[in-house]
Amino acid sequence: MKQFYYLILFFLVSIYSTEAKLSRKQESSNPLKVTVSIHLNKIYDINSVNKTYMIDAYLVLLWHDASVSEWIHENNKTRIIYENEKFPETIAVPSFEFINILGNREIINKQLIINPDKTLVYNERFHGRFTSNMDFHKYPNDRQCFTIQLESFSMEKNDLIFVNPQLFPKVLDSSYFEEWNILGKKDYVNQMIYNHLSASKKGEIFSRCNFEIYAQRKIEYYIWKVMLPIGILVVASWLVFWVKDFANQLNISFTLMLTMVTFNFYTSSLLPALPYNTFIELIIISGYISIFLTLITIIFTYAYSKNNQTTIRINTFFKLFFPLLYILYIVICIIVIFF
């Protein structure tokens, strides 16, 4: 009879052991799911020339690790917190990296929370200089996308995936951007394939978490500091048609041309070397063209005008021609660039 009981006990233990092994095998075959959230404190020091910006934010990673040893809690049902110290060697924080950061990020504070249900939370405050592609065709009324890209460093998609990305606060206001208007934000997860890490043609697949903030540059500063002075210089160049002395006409035109060159140097320092012209550069070019055509006109009138009556008729014509031509040019530029 004892042999029968031992046989039943052995059978039950074998079944339990087999189920435990299958459970562990199934857990190990599933990728680690890591929830990612970023709480934005500030985006500052936006450099249009280098296409960079500084970000100060909190990063939070949350995941469940069934391999956490029971002895860590030591029968304590409360959570365990490690702050700014070396984490336990038995706890593996998922390795990650910021893809579009320049240099290393500075970690101001970090924290690891181990909950009794074996849920782990990694929290750090960081700041660093990030970069992203920028389109300056509509500058200074341009719209840009400021991105934060977080990617698994050593664990492929089969081992780790990012889920449920969230960017906080849910509503961003002008306090996060001093010179920009917030248009919206977006967070999502995609995957990246790297062929250089594998001999196979398929490559290695890694999970990537993307946080995007859309903003439009405030144009008021450029209207008063750049566009209005350029407009005044262009209008002033047309006043030579009311001046009778030819020498004074030349002096006015050359002085305005030199002033326009100064504005060109100023705007060139605000942007990188681009293979295309921005909206503000087209306005400056229009100033060059207007002043140059005015200069050609007064020289031509002085050289070929036979009498004062002819000069007056020519000047009267160009008093209307140049303003209309300039307005037409600006309208065409606005239509081509903004529509």
Side-chain angles (χ1 to χ4, degrees):
M1 194 69 180
K2 288 184 178 180
Q3 292 180 349
F4 178 72
Y5 287 143
Y6 288 143
L7 183 61
I8 294 176
L9 180 62
F10 176 77
F11 179 73
L12 293 175
V13 171
S14 299
I15 292 177
Y16 176 79
S17 176
T18 303
E19 289 180 351
K21 290 180 179 179
L22 290 175
S23 177
R24 287 194 296 268
K25 184 176 180 181
Q26 185 176 5
E27 288 181 357
S28 61
S29 62
N30 293 329
L32 178 66
K33 295 182 179 180
V34 180
T35 301
V36 184
S37 63
I38 287 183
H39 190 290
L40 188 66
N41 292 328
K42 190 81 170 178
I43 296 183
Y44 61 99
D45 194 17
I46 300 175
N47 191 323
S48 298
V49 176
N50 297 325
K51 301 181 180 180
T52 60
Y53 44 93
M54 294 292 296
I55 290 183
D56 182 355
Y58 289 94
L59 170 67
V60 179
L61 304 179
L62 186 147
W63 72 99
H64 183 270
D65 190 353
S67 65
V68 174
S69 302
E70 298 291 344
W71 62 266
I72 291 182
H73 286 279
E74 296 179 352
N75 299 323
N76 188 357
K77 295 183 180 180
T78 61
R79 62 181 184 174
I80 300 174
I81 301 177
Y82 297 90
E83 290 187 355
N84 297 323
E85 58 183 278
K86 188 176 181 180
F87 300 154
E89 295 181 357
T90 56
I91 303 297
V93 177
S95 60
F96 64 90
E97 64 175 339
F98 288 102
I99 297 299
N100 62 323
I101 195 172
L102 300 179
N104 298 322
R105 75 184 188 279
E106 181 180 355
I107 301 176
I108 303 173
N109 290 299
K110 63 179 181 178
Q111 179 188 72
L112 179 65
I113 302 174
I114 306 176
N115 296 305
D117 61 352
K118 298 185 178 181
T119 299
L120 287 80
V121 180
Y122 173 77
N123 178 26
E124 73 171 42
R125 182 179 180 181
F126 70 93
H127 68 77
R129 185 171 295 278
F130 290 75
T131 183
S132 63
N133 294 326
M134 295 185 179
D135 183 5
F136 295 106
H137 278 93
K138 299 180 181 180
Y139 179 87
N141 194 33
D142 53 322
R143 299 181 180 183
Q144 304 297 346
C145 177
F146 301 92
T147 63
I148 304 174
Q149 295 176 331
L150 184 74
E151 186 175 295
S152 171
F153 177 69
S154 58
M155 302 177 69
E156 302 175 28
K157 186 180 179 182
N158 295 331
D159 302 319
L160 182 148
I161 57 174
F162 292 121
V163 296
N164 193 26
Q166 297 185 73
L167 179 62
F168 296 97
K170 290 297 185 180
V171 178
L172 298 174
D173 54 38
S174 58
S175 62
Y176 295 91
F177 287 86
E178 295 180 353
E179 301 178 3
W180 299 75
N181 293 318
I182 305 296
L183 301 178
K185 61 186 182 68
K186 183 180 179 182
D187 41 52
Y188 61 94
V189 175
N190 63 350
Q191 61 185 27
M192 297 298 297
I193 301 176
Y194 296 96
N195 295 318
H196 67 281
L197 298 175
S198 174
S200 64
K201 295 183 178 180
K202 295 182 178 180
E204 304 293 340
I205 303 176
F206 289 82
S207 180
R208 175 179 291 187
C209 200
N210 302 272
F211 302 90
E212 299 178 349
I213 303 170
Y214 302 95
Q216 185 174 23
R217 195 187 306 269
K218 294 180 180 178
I219 196 174
E220 291 80 6
Y221 169 84
Y222 300 91
I223 290 177
W224 296 107
K225 298 293 184 178
V226 180
M227 295 183 183
L228 181 61
I230 291 175
I232 293 175
L233 291 177
V234 172
V235 173
S237 69
W238 304 332
L239 298 180
V240 296
F241 298 115
W242 279 267
V243 178
K244 296 181 179 180
D245 184 66
F246 176 70
N248 291 332
Q249 289 179 326
L250 290 179
N251 290 333
I252 293 173
S253 297
F254 281 115
T255 302
L256 294 175
M257 182 68 76
L258 293 175
T259 307
M260 194 63 67
V261 171
T262 304
F263 268 100
N264 190 27
F265 279 116
Y266 171 71
T267 56
S268 298
S269 64
L270 300 177
L271 292 172
L274 299 172
Y276 54 84
N277 288 320
T278 64
F279 176 67
I280 198 169
E281 287 174 336
L282 291 177
I283 292 179
I284 295 176
I285 291 173
S286 69
Y288 279 122
I289 295 174
S290 178
I291 297 174
F292 177 74
L293 291 179
T294 302
L295 183 62
I296 295 298
T297 301
I298 60 176
I299 294 175
F300 177 83
T301 303
Y302 177 79
Y304 294 96
S305 179
K306 298 180 180 179
N307 51 57
N308 290 334
Q309 291 291 21
T310 305
T311 302
I312 293 174
R313 284 198 301 269
I314 294 175
N315 288 340
T316 302
F317 170 78
F318 284 112
K319 286 177 184 179
L320 298 174
F321 174 78
F322 275 102
L324 294 176
L325 181 63
Y326 186 77
I327 293 173
L328 178 62
Y329 174 86
I330 296 299
V331 170
I332 293 174
C333 290
I334 292 175
I335 293 174
V336 170
I337 294 179
F338 292 96
F339 299 98

